[in-house]
C-alpha cells in the first residue's frame, strides 16, 4: 500500500537559516508524483513544489527545493533563508501513478515548523 | 485569477443532521476533489468529481455523497452526522490533462465543521 511518512512532528529554525523537512514514501508503482503543501493556521493548503518520479533533476521553486533520493524513497523539502511567514504545518503528499488517473493524494501526518526571530 | 473558494467557512451542526458544503474550482479547472482533515492529521481523500460524475472514491461511508454541476462547482453532502465527522473539509481543484491524468491540485480555504 502507498504510504507517506513524516517523522518530525515539530521543527524549530532561526530566521534566515535553512531547514530540511523529512519525507519518506512507499510505493510499488514506478510512476508517481510527490508534492509539498504548506498549511498556515488559517487552514488553506498551499501548493509549494512538485517532483515527478521520472524527473532527472531535483525540483526548485524560489526558496523551496526538493531533495529527491529515489533509491532511498525520500523527498525532503529544503527551505532556504527562513522567514517568519514560513511558520506553518507542512505536508508531504504522493499522487498515485498509473493505477489511477484521478490524482488522488495520499498525505503524511505533517510537520509543524516554527521560525524564531 | 480566482482561486478555489469554499462556503461556508464554519458550520456547527448536531448529531443526526445533514450538511451541504460548497466549492467553486479555480478558473480553468474542471475537476474537484474533496478531503477530510481531522485535527492534527493529514487530509484523507473522500472522492473526486469530473464531468459531473464521481471518478474515484476513498474509504468513506455512503453517508458522504457529492455532486458536480455543469459549471464545475461541487457540493459535498453528509447525512446522519456523527461526532467523528467534525473536521476541516478541503476542496481541491485541478485540470484533467490530455492524457487523462489529473494535474496538480489546488486547495481552497476549507470549511470547518463541528458536530455537537
Amino acid at each position: 500500500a502507498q504510504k507517506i511518512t513524516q517523522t518530525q512532528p515539530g521543527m524549530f529554525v532561526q530566521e534566515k537559516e535553512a531547514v530540511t523537512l523529512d519525507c519518506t514514501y512507499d510505493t510499488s508503482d514506478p510512476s508517481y508524483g510527490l508534492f509539498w503543501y504548506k498549511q498556515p493556521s488559517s487552514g488553506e493548503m498551499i501548493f509549494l513544489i512538485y517532483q515527478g518520479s521520472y524527473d532527472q533533476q531535483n525540483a526548485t521553486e524560489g526558496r523551496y527545493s526538493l531533495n529527491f533520493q529515489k533509491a532511498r524513497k525520500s523527498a525532503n523539502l529544503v527551505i532556504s533563508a527562513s522567514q517568519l511567514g514560513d511558520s506553518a504545518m507542512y505536508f508531504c503528499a504522493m499522487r498515485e501513478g498509473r493505477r489511477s488517473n484521478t490524482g488522488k493524494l495520499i498525505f503524511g501526518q505533517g510537520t509543524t515548523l516554527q521560525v524564531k526571530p | 485569477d480566482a482561486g478555489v473558494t469554499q462556503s461556508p467557512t464554519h458550520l456547527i451542526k448536531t448529531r443526526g443532521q445533514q450538511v451541504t458544503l460548497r466549492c467553486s474550482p479555480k478558473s480553468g479547472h474542471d475537476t474537484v476533489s474533496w478531503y477530510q482533515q481531522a485535527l492534527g492529521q493529514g487530509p484523507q481523500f473522500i472522492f473526486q468529481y469530473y464531468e459531473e460524475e464521481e471518478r474515484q472514491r476513498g474509504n468513506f461511508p455512503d453517508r458522504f455523497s457529492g455532486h458536480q454541476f455543469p459549471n464545475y462547482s461541487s457540493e459535498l453532502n453528509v447525512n446522519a452526522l456523527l461526532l467523528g465527522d467534525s473536521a476541516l473539509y478541503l476542496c481541491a481543484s485541478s485540470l484533467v490533462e490530455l492524457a487523462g491524468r489529473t494535474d496538480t491540485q489546488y486547495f481552497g480555504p476549507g470549511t470547518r465543521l463541528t458536530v455537537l
Side-chain angles (χ1 to χ4, degrees):
Chain A
Q2 298 187 325
K3 187 179 179 181
I4 292 284
T5 302
Q6 295 180 253
T7 57
Q8 306 155 312
M11 291 279 288
F12 289 92
V13 64
Q14 206 67 36
E15 193 179 8
K16 299 181 184 178
E17 292 187 349
V19 63
T20 298
L21 306 184
D22 294 342
C23 172
T24 57
Y25 59 92
D26 188 20
T27 181
S28 57
D29 198 319
S31 175
Y32 52 89
L34 296 160
F35 299 79
W36 277 93
Y37 287 87
K38 171 185 177 183
Q39 188 176 43
S41 56
S42 60
E44 182 174 356
M45 198 76 74
I46 301 167
F47 166 69
L48 296 178
I49 195 166
Y50 165 78
Q51 180 85 41
S53 58
Y54 294 117
D55 293 343
Q56 295 296 313
Q57 293 187 333
N58 288 343
T60 60
E61 289 286 349
R63 295 187 298 112
Y64 305 107
S65 60
L66 202 153
N67 184 2
F68 181 46
Q69 297 187 44
K70 197 169 183 177
R72 298 181 60 184
K73 292 190 175 180
S74 74
N76 298 339
L77 176 70
V78 180
I79 305 175
S80 62
S82 296
Q83 301 172 355
L84 295 178
D86 293 335
S87 295
M89 179 79 90
Y90 289 80
F91 288 95
C92 180
M94 179 167 58
R95 178 177 64 194
E96 293 183 336
R98 291 199 184 97
R99 71 183 64 181
S100 166
N101 281 331
T102 65
K104 166 189 171 182
L105 293 174
I106 299 163
F107 285 85
Q109 293 287 82
T111 296
T112 300
L113 176 66
Q114 292 191 31
V115 180
K116 293 182 174 181
Chain B
D1 183 16
V4 181
T5 60
Q6 291 186 245
S7 63
T9 306
H10 294 87
L11 206 51
I12 299 176
K13 292 286 188 178
T14 57
R15 280 177 296 175
Q17 285 189 313
Q18 178 264 344
V19 69
T20 297
L21 311 182
R22 295 175 177 82
C23 170
S24 291
K26 183 178 168 70
S27 178
H29 284 182
D30 57 8
T31 302
V32 172
S33 302
W34 287 93
Y35 292 81
Q36 180 196 65
Q37 185 179 19
L39 197 61
Q41 304 293 317
Q44 299 287 320
F45 177 79
I46 302 175
F47 43 53
Q48 184 181 87
Y49 277 84
Y50 171 65
E51 293 187 335
E52 301 180 48
E53 290 190 356
E54 184 181 288
R55 202 177 182 207
Q56 188 181 9
R57 188 179 186 90
N59 189 24
F60 279 81
D62 291 344
R63 297 187 298 109
F64 289 77
S65 62
H67 188 77
Q68 186 180 34
F69 300 94
N71 67 352
Y72 307 119
S73 67
S74 176
E75 288 182 349
L76 164 65
N77 300 293
V78 187
N79 294 324
L81 284 167
L82 304 174
L83 295 179
D85 294 332
S86 294
L88 179 68
Y89 288 84
L90 293 162
C91 166
S93 76
S94 51
L95 182 66
V96 173
E97 300 168 345
L98 289 175
R101 291 196 61 180
T102 303
D103 200 359
T104 298
Q105 295 182 27
Y106 293 86
F107 286 79
T111 293
R112 192 164 297 279
L113 172 65
T114 302
V115 182
L116 302 177

